[in-house]
């Protein structure tokens, strides 16, 4: 069975795509015109083979959907009429409760339940979250990502994972650069401390590579718990200590690139992904692509070649991937 191709709405955030001057201008315009924002995003997707959407931070978030369409059900009908569907939502909003200290667990759980209820109504099954960011290297007092910290995060993850599971939604953790779930060691430690029935993984091939890790090795170690993955390429590992503040995501951008133009082993990644519970969705992530339609077309082509290659060795199986 052929996988469904999907993308994160952040793919469409480049100011040039909207004929605007800055990311802030895009956010402001979209906040004032959520219906027009979504209309253009969905129209652009119609020019690609992508049929799945991951909601993310504003303007492509749950709140924007509700302003534009009034309800999850109305949005689901609009998407279905275009052959599209929501596959996941990323907890990336600036107003999401902070996990760092964990003293606000009721608020964290309530926020996740609200998102999971929306996902269930719109027909999606994965809520993607991240762990808090690290502190800039050299900060005093230092912040250590140690066993005590990870044990606390695991406890929060268990509470949230159990709560959203009641809605039929899986909680999957994203391996974000400069977060406390970035290095291979972070991922292995967190997954070892969490219950596989309630806590899942959303490995990001780019971010793992940016941390000097091997995305394919990580994917193979955690195959049974991968509910979804972000297919994204990296230029090279980040070999300097970036300042971790509101600008860190912009600082990371030069290290990211379109699929097939970086260092990720796509054939190995596709092979590892084929055995995961999330194998039915290939989520291509292209942060703020200047030409999102062209980037999604080329990214889809790279993914198709990688998926087809895993079937060619020995001629054991024939790929079922539309050409």
């Amino acid at each position: 069975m052929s996988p469904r191709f999907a993308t994160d709405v952040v793919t469409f955030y480049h100011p040039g795509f909207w004929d605007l001057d800055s990311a802030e201008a895009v956010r402001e315009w979209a906040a004032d015109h959520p219906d027009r924002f979504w209309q253009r995003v969905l129209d652009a997707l119609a020019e690609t083979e992508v049929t799945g959407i991951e909601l993310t931070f504003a303007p492509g978030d749950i709140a924007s959907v509700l302003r534009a369409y009034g309800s999850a059900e109305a949005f689901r009908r609009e998407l279905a009429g275009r052959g599209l569907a929501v596959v996941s939502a990323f907890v990336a909003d600036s107003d999401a409760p902070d996990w760092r200290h964990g003293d606000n667990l009721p608020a964290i759980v309530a926020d996740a339940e609200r998102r999971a209820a929306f996902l269930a109504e719109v027909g999606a099954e994965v809520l993607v979250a991240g762990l808090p960011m690290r502190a800039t290297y050299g900060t005093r007092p230092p912040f250590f990502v140690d066993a005590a910290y990870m044990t606390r995060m695991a406890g929060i993850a268990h509470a949230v994972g159990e709560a959203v599971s009641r809605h039929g939604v899986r909680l999957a953790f994203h391996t974000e650069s400069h977060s406390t779930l970035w290095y291979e060691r972070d991922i292995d430690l967190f997954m070892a401390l969490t219950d596989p029935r309630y806590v899942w993984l959303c490995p990001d091939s780019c971010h793992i590579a940016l941390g000097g890790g091997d995305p394919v090795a990580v994917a193979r170690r955690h195959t049974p718990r991968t509910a979804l993955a972000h297919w994204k390429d990296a230029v090279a590992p980040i070999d300097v200590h970036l300042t971790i503040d509101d600008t860190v995501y912009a600082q990371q951008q030069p290290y990211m690139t379109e699929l097939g133009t970086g260092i990720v082993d796509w054939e190995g990644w596709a092979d590892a992904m084929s055995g995961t519970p999330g194998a039915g969705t290939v989520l291509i992530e292209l942060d703020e692509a200047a030409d999102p339609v062209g980037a999604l077309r080329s990214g889809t082509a790279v993914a198709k070649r990688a998926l087809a290659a895993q079937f060619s060795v020995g001629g054991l199986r024939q790929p079922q991937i539309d050409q």
Side-chain angles (χ1 to χ4, degrees):
M1 181 178 179
S2 298
R4 163 178 56 189
F5 290 100
T7 194
D8 190 306
V9 185
V10 73
T11 296
F12 297 94
Y13 284 11
H14 195 285
F17 179 66
W18 302 95
D19 296 322
L20 295 171
D21 297 328
S22 66
E24 180 62 28
V26 173
R27 288 191 294 271
E28 291 177 355
W29 179 86
D32 292 336
H33 308 283
D35 51 341
R36 292 168 61 185
F37 169 81
W38 282 106
Q39 188 74 24
R40 183 157 189 211
V41 168
L42 300 186
D43 287 346
L45 286 173
E47 300 179 48
T48 73
E49 296 179 65
V50 171
T51 60
I53 297 172
E54 178 173 88
L55 303 176
T56 185
F57 56 89
D61 58 352
I62 292 174
S64 173
V65 167
L66 294 176
R67 288 197 304 273
Y69 295 95
S71 70
E73 180 57 35
F75 188 48
R76 182 175 185 170
R77 289 195 301 268
E78 173 68 19
L79 294 179
R82 294 169 171 264
L84 304 173
V86 174
V87 299
S88 53
F90 200 138
V91 183
D93 321 42
S94 59
D95 60 348
D98 185 3
W99 285 39
R100 183 170 296 279
H101 301 292
D103 54 0
N104 55 341
L105 184 58
I108 292 171
V109 172
D111 178 74
E113 286 184 310
R114 175 181 61 81
R115 297 171 194 272
F118 174 92
L119 287 173
E121 190 173 355
V122 85
E125 298 179 348
V126 180
L127 179 64
V128 182
L131 292 186
M133 298 297 280
R134 281 179 148 76
T136 302
Y137 183 76
T139 296
R140 297 290 183 270
F143 167 55
F144 297 115
V145 182
D146 56 13
Y149 169 83
M150 278 300 195
T151 298
R152 191 167 71 252
M153 292 300 106
I156 300 172
H158 287 148
V160 173
E162 191 279 329
V164 303
S165 72
R166 291 183 236 140
H167 296 272
V169 171
R170 292 172 172 172
L171 177 67
F173 283 86
H174 180 259
T175 57
E176 179 72 36
S177 292
H178 296 92
S179 77
T180 53
L181 195 68
W182 183 22
Y183 300 123
E184 287 196 42
R185 168 270 191 185
D186 300 340
I187 300 165
D188 293 342
L189 177 58
F190 182 69
M191 299 309 283
L193 290 171
T194 51
D195 190 321
R197 293 174 296 177
Y198 296 103
V199 178
W200 299 78
L201 186 65
C202 177
D204 185 306
S205 51
C206 171
H207 287 297
I208 294 170
L210 294 184
D214 181 344
V216 176
V218 171
R220 287 180 174 151
R221 284 200 300 276
H222 301 290
T223 293
R225 297 178 67 181
T226 298
L228 182 70
H230 287 181
W231 294 49
K232 187 175 180 181
D233 217 337
V235 173
I238 296 175
D239 59 355
V240 296
H241 295 299
L242 301 185
T243 300
I244 301 176
D245 57 16
D246 291 343
T247 70
V248 69
Y249 302 111
Q251 295 177 64
Q252 294 168 1
Q253 285 297 315
Y255 296 90
M256 302 173 182
T257 186
E258 292 186 12
L259 265 69
T261 61
I263 62 173
V264 172
D265 170 11
W266 288 114
E267 291 187 12
W269 178 259
D271 180 65
M273 287 298 114
S274 67
T276 68
T281 298
V282 173
L283 197 153
I284 298 169
E285 189 175 12
L286 305 159
D287 287 3
E288 299 186 15
D291 175 14
V293 171
L296 286 172
R297 286 174 174 169
S298 61
T300 301
V302 170
K304 280 185 173 184
R305 288 195 295 271
L307 289 163
Q310 65 173 298
F311 295 96
S312 64
V313 177
L316 296 178
R317 293 184 290 176
Q318 293 299 315
Q320 298 181 13
I321 301 170
D322 297 332
Q323 299 296 326

